[in-house]
Amino acid sequence: MRIRIAAPAALAVAALSGALLVTAPSASAATSPVQISKVQYDSPGKDVHTNKSVNGEWVRLQNRSKGTVSIKGWKLTDTKRHVYTFGNVTLKKNQSVTVFTGKGKDTSASKYQQRGWMIWNNTHDTATLSDAKGKKKDAVKWTKPGKGYVTS
Ligand SMILES: [Ca+2]
């Protein structure tokens, strides 16, 4: 009964106070339009010096907003500060792009860091996505080998 009485009062206060109206939607506004959806941090099988093995680890981003988003200049980094910078990449609603660690020819859906060895630690690491201005947009952390991948 107390809640039923208090709720309309709180709404009335919110309607009268600009500060309250501003703070309410800020949580959703902080959500990045493009997010890290999956990281396969442990390449399947034994880690060996083949391009196939190096490309067995990758990070996938997805546009989870309602509009088209350019991620040109955005960066993907690990805790040891290996950096991958996106070129002129645009993602439509729900579209994904996968960044493989090894060598390969870029397509709209697949990008390659062109490295000769793995960068994502198999036991613990954090994949961080930052925008062109260096502002952190998303991060995915793992702390154990587990299944070799993490989804978010
Ligand atoms: Ca790895």
Side-chain angles (χ1 to χ4, degrees), residues 39 41-42 79 120-127 140-151:
V39 181
Y41 55 84
D42 188 0
T79 51
W120 304 108
N121 194 297
N122 291 352
T123 54
H124 60 280
D125 209 342
T126 303
V140 171
K141 182 181 182 178
W142 56 96
T143 56
K144 52 189 175 185
K147 294 173 283 191
Y149 63 87
V150 62
T151 54

